[in-house]
Amino acid sequence: MPPQRAQESPFLRLPAEIRLQIYGLLLLPQRAKDLLPSLGIEHSSTKDYFDYETKQDCSANVSHPTLMIRTLDPDHYTQRYSPDKPAPIRSRYSVRCDRFRSACKSTTYLCLNASSRLQSSVAIMRSNKQIHFECADLLYSSSTFDFDTHVEAIVPFFSDLTPFARSSIRGVRVVKRALAYDKEFDRCEWSTALRYLTSPSTGLALRKLELGIVAGRPGDNGWDGVPTYSADYFRDCTIDGEEGMEWIRHLLQFKGLQELVVKAVVEHCPPATNSSAMAKYVRFSASVEEGFKEFLSSRLLDGGVAE
């Protein structure tokens, strides 16, 4: 809408607080169940990585929703965007997609729990620049963007946003498969994503980081008696020189965080007696919500709080 026409718009002559209320009704969930993933869309999400959080219960926070961004399964991508159909507006990228993660296919990302109401309502953001600014500030600053282990979607997703929308985002969630499960391609995808999130040139101003770390526990009592790493251990060790811990260096580049959530995403693993590498992984896993969390909080938080 041209500037002169925008000034003549009855809607834009409404008080700003009323416009924001209208945007909120259009763009934000009104009920907790509005944040539940669509089963059809969830099945279209790539299975290359196991999803550690595809479900949200009916106690989800509607005042600060979590939007789950996932990589679209490449086979669904080719069905949805075959050569005789229009190309997607979203950026394409390649993912490793066979059993041994040796073959790559082109795909894109999608939001698992974007309700049909939200998908149709975001069209209002294309009305004009003023409405886009007002809507983007509300939608993106109110939401946490959850990528789980689908960190390969981070750069395409944020790059597709306008600079203003990107600067409005305050919170992200990622999950790291660490140590025993860390492969060369995981390291590459992680470093690329974290460099983007922490680079001043991207225009992001994150205030909240939710970090899930896959933690191995050999049975329900597998951490009993396991000596944990203290925060001082992580402060004193040379992270770049510790095999399997190089990824932590990228985390330490975050600046200005006000809130940090560190959670151990627990799954079964072999006994610590299997090998020295597994013993180290079990010990690190038992330390995630204690010494490691304390260490990260001391390095990343700018006067905020850790959970």
Side-chain angles (χ1 to χ4, degrees):
M1 185 182 296
Q4 186 174 0
R5 294 283 300 278
Q7 293 174 3
E8 296 171 357
S9 167
F11 177 73
L12 290 177
R13 290 202 299 269
L14 291 172
E17 58 270 21
I18 293 180
R19 293 201 304 274
L20 289 175
Q21 290 179 25
I22 294 172
Y23 300 145
L25 292 172
L26 287 171
L27 301 174
L28 300 181
Q30 303 303 306
R31 302 164 299 175
K33 69 178 184 179
D34 290 344
L35 292 171
L36 293 175
S38 164
L39 198 58
I41 295 178
E42 185 177 324
H43 286 166
S44 296
S45 179
T46 181
K47 302 302 180 186
D48 289 337
Y49 284 128
F50 182 76
D51 233 326
Y52 288 97
E53 191 170 302
T54 56
K55 305 292 185 186
Q56 291 193 9
D57 59 32
C58 288
S59 62
N61 185 356
V62 296
S63 63
H64 194 97
T66 294
L67 298 179
M68 292 182 273
I69 310 300
R70 300 292 187 267
T71 289
L72 180 66
D73 185 277
D75 292 333
H76 285 82
Y77 175 81
T78 55
Q79 295 168 16
R80 183 178 292 189
Y81 302 113
S82 59
D84 58 334
K85 294 181 180 179
I89 298 175
R90 300 166 186 162
S91 291
R92 295 185 302 175
Y93 53 95
S94 295
V95 293
R96 296 174 181 266
C97 57
D98 69 352
R99 180 180 177 185
F100 300 103
R101 303 296 300 277
S102 58
C104 292
K105 289 185 180 180
S106 182
T107 187
T108 190
Y109 57 84
L110 76 168
C111 183
L112 285 190
N113 60 336
S115 64
S116 56
R117 179 179 62 82
L118 173 61
Q119 293 181 51
S120 60
S121 297
V122 292
I124 191 176
M125 298 176 69
R126 296 194 291 268
S127 300
N128 62 40
K129 287 185 177 180
Q130 180 179 343
I131 291 177
H132 176 271
F133 287 160
E134 294 173 346
C135 288
D137 186 55
L138 176 67
L139 174 62
Y140 292 105
S141 67
S142 299
S143 304
T144 293
F145 292 85
D146 170 21
F147 295 88
D148 204 80
T149 54
H150 297 241
V151 295
E152 71 278 1
I154 286 177
V155 175
F157 174 77
F158 286 122
S159 298
D160 284 346
L161 300 178
T162 65
F164 180 79
R166 199 160 51 242
S167 70
S168 301
I169 291 174
R170 295 293 176 263
V172 297
R173 175 184 179 269
V174 292
V175 172
K176 182 70 176 74
R177 293 181 64 86
L179 297 174
Y181 296 102
D182 197 26
K183 307 300 180 186
E184 189 60 41
F185 47 77
D186 293 316
R187 296 181 189 130
C188 181
E189 291 165 353
W190 177 263
S191 62
T192 298
L194 269 289
R195 283 192 180 104
Y196 185 89
L197 290 178
T198 57
S199 171
S201 64
T202 61
L204 286 165
L206 297 177
R207 294 293 178 263
K208 178 180 180 180
L209 173 65
E210 295 185 29
L211 176 64
I213 300 175
V214 179
R217 183 167 59 193
D220 292 341
N221 302 315
W223 289 345
D224 291 353
V226 173
T228 58
Y229 293 119
S230 67
D232 287 337
Y233 166 81
F234 293 106
R235 292 190 188 101
D236 295 339
C237 77
T238 304
I239 289 173
D240 284 343
E242 290 286 324
E243 186 178 0
M245 291 191 180
E246 303 90 342
W247 58 274
I248 299 172
R249 172 170 53 88
H250 302 294
L251 276 175
L252 299 181
Q253 300 307 307
F254 278 102
K255 307 294 182 185
L257 291 180
Q258 296 294 321
E259 187 175 354
L260 175 66
V261 179
V262 180
K263 298 283 187 183
V265 183
V266 181
E267 64 178 26
H268 180 75
C269 74
T273 53
N274 273 28
S275 67
S276 59
M278 188 55 64
K280 180 180 179 181
Y281 176 55
V282 171
R283 186 176 181 183
F284 172 78
S285 298
S287 311
V288 166
E289 295 185 358
E290 296 181 5
F292 187 62
K293 174 181 173 181
E294 182 184 341
F295 163 70
L296 285 183
S297 300
S298 68
R299 293 289 300 271
L300 299 184
L301 287 178
D302 185 15
V305 296
E307 294 182 20

